[in-house]
Amino acid sequence: MSFDEKGEGAALIRPSTKSFSRQINSSVKPSNPPQGPDGRVPLSVEFYGRYGFGKTHAATTFPCSALIDTEGKGHIVTSKFKDAKWFPVRSFGEIRNVVHTCIENPDVKTVIFDSSADLVQWAREEWSEEHGGKKPMTMVEGVAIPFQYSEIYHKIDELLRLCLDSGRNVILTGKVDHTYRDGDVVSEYTQWKGYKKVEYWTMIRIQLVKGLEDPEVKGKIHYPDFIFGKVEKNGFIGGMKDRTKPYLIDISVDGIYRELMSPWTGKFEDILREVESRISSF
């Protein structure tokens, strides 16, 4: 697939990495990436949140991006960015082909996997086809127990490593959906859906949310009609959670480089003033 074939318009349940330690140890691990094509340290980021909150838009703010789109709607976003390319895909094989196209093209600086939940599903389908229709699970006393997922995850890990080792930014998107039991909704927008090794592969994880949670007053939400980037992980400053700015107002590549590359020394009141200043400038 070439760039000429693009489209016309150019508290949550979080994934645990503990249960996947075997797959992590046996799979492809990320190397230390070289300097990115634009001279910056390449980033690996996950944006996750509810449908319509702007995950794809935030991802496409990264420079010269190639959007690997599993849902077929990404051209609506890429058409707003002059250097963004849109690649609608319908199988893991197509995803692999696009990744190789991207890393061979010096004009591509960012590879976006939108969404990582479909990435897992299609890698599983490819594995099943390779094994004569076999499913990567077995039934034990009526309960489906997954196995062979290390081989499935290896397929995904290999593509992520190729992108990072080539110096590209790697962006994944994750979904947030209702939690269901027996077909009924038991909790609204509490179920994260994405690649379960995302914590291992990403330096930064940002949840797109409505409103700012007041750290001093339980249940108080400031600006509930506005979408912000809640910073769930910032690998640039290690485990110093209290030294990370808790929310991004500018949910973009520039906001990340400006706000998250060094320890934050501000207060929550500073964020409120920043929001008020932006609102008043509209």
Side-chain angles (χ1 to χ4, degrees), residues 1 22 54 58 69 201 225 265:
M1 183 178 293
R22 181 175 301 174
D69 178 15
W201 280 100
D225 295 327
T265 58

Side-chain angles (χ1 to χ4, degrees), residues 92-109:
F92 196 80
E94 290 186 6
I95 293 173
R96 185 183 292 109
N97 290 340
V98 173
V99 167
H100 282 280
T101 297
C102 291
I103 63 177
E104 292 169 3
N105 190 316
D107 293 332
V108 175
K109 298 179 181 179

